[in-house]
Amino acid sequence: GGENMRDLKFIIQYSKPYSYKVFSILVDVILYVSGLLMAPLILSYMIDNVINGIPLEDGFAKDFINMLGGIEFLRENLWVGGLLVIAAYGLVGLGIHLRAKNCGRLSETFSENVRNEMYDHMQKLPFSYHKMKDSGDLLQRSTSDIDTIRRFLSGQISELLYSIIIIAFSAIVLFSRNVKLACIALCLTPFTFLATGIFYKISKKAFLECDESEAKMMAVIQENLNGTRVVKAFNQEIHEIEKFEEANDDFRNKLYHMIHLLAIYWFTSDLIGTLQIFIMVIVGILMSMNGEITIGTFSIFISYQSMIIWPIRILGRIISDMGKISVSIGRIKEVLNEEIEDLDTGIEPIIVGDIEFKDVDFMYADSSVATLHDINLKIKAHSKVAIMGPTGSGKSSLIHLLNRIYDPTSGSITIDGIDIKEINKSYLRKNVQIVLQEPFLYSKSIKEK
């Protein structure tokens, strides 16, 4: 529906300049399917019309065989039929090669573009957003969520197209050959689609729970690795191990539930598919013995039946994975839809350094108590001022207001009489330097620093 169209637009948007590859893959799959379907048809004409001499009724087949030299010529030169079958499989090979090449180009370009966009966007999001979010969760959205979509584009989008096209084309050929046997060959298909629809709804919810549980587990790992010094100093290793085991256990249970749902679906679709082949073969043998269908037609039904059954099963798996990519795209969009900081607009005055806080109040978004209340303060340029107070009294918050990592809830802050809200944020931060109380070193060489 509308959700799937939004997902397709998202994929096309971030696949530039290779967005057209989505449609190239469709052409590649049509090539591949045409070759697969032509091979049994050629064999059928060779068995029925060339070898057994049954008169041709199909106008297209008549023209095709006459173009190749006629029935007699083909009967004396059976190698021509063999060559045509090889040519059909050559078309299959070409389709597979082009499909793999275009899927690779599409999926890797998409991944690169979205990763770049996510990183760029997260860099420009305000500090308050990062403070509220788990870094493990953001890490997962930037890696495994993107990889879920990449895997879908690298293989499953072509499998989806293949399944739809081969089911449609096979059904057309089978109904043109024998309506009664075609109905029997496809009689259980609606039940497979019903099982698929039910599975899609259940698996989408299960995957979201699984994804969120993995994010929580990654957040525990991230937090622990960043705070190893604190953990060791306070002898909290056992507590942290227990915390991780609890998160890991929850993830395992959710993942197991997902695998259990898959097992039920595969069993159900396998049973329906095998029953369908069994019914068609029994009825097909009886019809062939009664002379209702030719051996060539029966050979087409045998070939096409397995070509239809397995794609229908694959279709179910892909539809469940579409539920996964829909969740992943939603999680990525959540980040990309967050409003970034405006770092570029505003004036760039020459800064001397007279600072004034007027009636400044400040309260964190997740707090109900003001951190700073009614602050009035003047600091002359070139002077040194020490601000002292106990932990949590708002010393760091006061400094963070000065370079607009946060904005005051009320009141104003001016530098040289200019409200800092009017100053270009990027320019302001170049001129208001802060040495944080907790140093963070990037893994670079002295030369790079």
Side-chain angles (χ1 to χ4, degrees), residues 201-220:
K201 279 191 172 179
I202 299 169
S203 71
K204 188 173 176 180
K205 183 173 176 267
F207 179 73
L208 180 59
E209 287 174 358
C210 206
D211 218 21
E212 285 170 350
S213 180
E214 187 187 5
K216 283 176 187 170
M217 185 185 74
M218 285 184 77
V220 171

Side-chain angles (χ1 to χ4, degrees), residues 22 38 105 192 322 393:
V22 174
M38 274 163 57
R105 179 74 78 182
T192 308
M322 281 173 73
S393 60

Side-chain angles (χ1 to χ4, degrees), residues 21 136 256 343 381 412 436:
K21 294 289 183 190
Y256 174 74
L343 297 169
S412 66
L436 300 169

